[in-house]
Amino acid sequence: VIGIIVFFLCIGGSISLLNQCGVFGHMIARVAARYGARREQLIAATVFVLMLICALTGIMEEAVFLVPLMIPLAASMGMDPIVGLGMSFLAVGFGFAAGLTNPFTIGVAQRIAGVPLFSGLWYRALVFVAAYAVLVVFLIRRAQRGPGRQGTPAAAVTPTFETADCDTAARLGQASRWFVMSMAAMLCYSLAASVVPALSDFTFAVTTLLFLAGGIGAAVIAGAGWRRIGRIFLDGVVAMAPGVVLMLMAAGVKHIIATAGILDTIIFTGARVVEGMPRTFAAAVI
């Protein structure tokens, strides 16, 4: 629980840094400027990036700030604002659900099950690809048949995605590349841990350090001072505090039902129900 809480707080602080220093905004603006009127490619690329980040890190509610960025981006390219919502929060939800190394779902469940951490990654990758295809097809069809709205070119809205906290676009570009490299390193380690059981014990710690390094490093490269970095990071940590309380309460409930024998009673009763059933059907019932 302590490991999950530390990771949770580090993600909150790092996401706050990436948001307040304009790194996320710059990445989105670059995508808009690159794809211009190629709406289908923009949808496919944006959904893939957000789904992959969330599938790796377990970000969900923390990414709600993407909604006010994506909706005007979609509208400026003549798409239904609902497509912008789908490119942001719906993509985040699909990525969280089709987690590859999601520590809040995959990590916790596999630790409880006693299997190597993040093992079976190949199967979850197939699920991720299927979920990605379904979402992209849905959004592209929506963009094609929805009421198009004539707006300004994507390049014209690019400045709205950048904040005054960062010095130059060059710094933002370097910060974005640093964060992407950190996420790539996280993916590489997770892939290695899925085939090397000895590495799985350190996955939570390494994932936390890489995400922390990605967030803080990007903020430093973007030009934020250490005092401001500390304040922004602390704001992100404080924003996550209610989630920490919920995790502690959940751990307390689990401890009570386990030590009092309630969990054993539930499992025994459930086992009696599915006893004798065909395996496939029993799994569905469970």
Side-chain angles (χ1 to χ4, degrees), residues 19-236:
N19 184 25
Q20 294 298 322
C21 293
V23 178
F24 267 148
H26 177 78
M27 294 171 67
I28 294 171
R30 288 293 301 274
V31 170
R34 175 177 180 180
Y35 288 95
R38 294 175 292 174
R39 302 188 302 181
E40 292 78 8
Q41 294 184 19
L42 173 65
I43 292 173
T46 303
V47 170
F48 178 76
V49 170
L50 294 183
M51 276 192 63
L52 185 61
I53 291 176
C54 298
L56 294 176
T57 64
I59 297 172
M60 182 63 186
E61 292 83 356
E62 303 90 327
V64 71
F65 68 88
L66 292 171
V67 175
L69 300 179
M70 287 296 186
I71 289 180
L73 172 61
S76 70
M77 300 182 67
M79 294 187 288
D80 190 330
I82 293 181
V83 177
L85 183 65
M87 291 167 57
S88 54
F89 204 65
L90 191 56
V92 170
F94 268 62
F96 186 93
L100 297 173
T101 60
N102 188 335
F104 306 113
T105 55
I106 306 300
V108 174
Q110 288 189 333
R111 280 186 178 274
I112 294 174
V115 299
L117 196 60
F118 299 141
S119 58
L121 187 61
W122 66 271
Y123 173 75
R124 295 196 300 280
L126 295 178
V127 174
F128 178 89
V129 171
Y132 170 74
V134 169
L135 180 56
V136 167
V137 170
F138 168 75
L139 291 177
I140 289 178
R141 292 183 63 185
R142 174 80 189 194
Q144 290 174 343
R145 74 170 186 267
R149 299 198 308 178
Q150 189 66 28
T152 56
V157 299
T158 296
T160 62
F161 297 113
E162 298 182 7
T163 66
D165 298 330
C166 304
D167 297 331
T168 62
R171 282 180 173 271
L172 285 171
Q174 294 175 357
S176 300
R177 286 190 290 273
W178 171 266
F179 179 70
V180 170
M181 289 173 58
S182 300
M183 294 300 97
M186 184 187 302
L187 176 60
C188 291
Y189 188 91
S190 300
L191 290 171
S194 66
V195 296
V196 182
L199 298 178
S200 62
D201 294 336
F202 307 99
T203 302
F204 258 124
V206 173
T207 300
T208 302
L209 290 175
L210 287 174
F211 203 96
L212 194 61
I216 295 178
V220 171
I221 296 172
W226 285 106
R227 180 173 297 181
R228 179 168 179 76
I229 289 175
R231 185 170 66 252
I232 295 175
F233 188 88
L234 182 60
D235 290 341

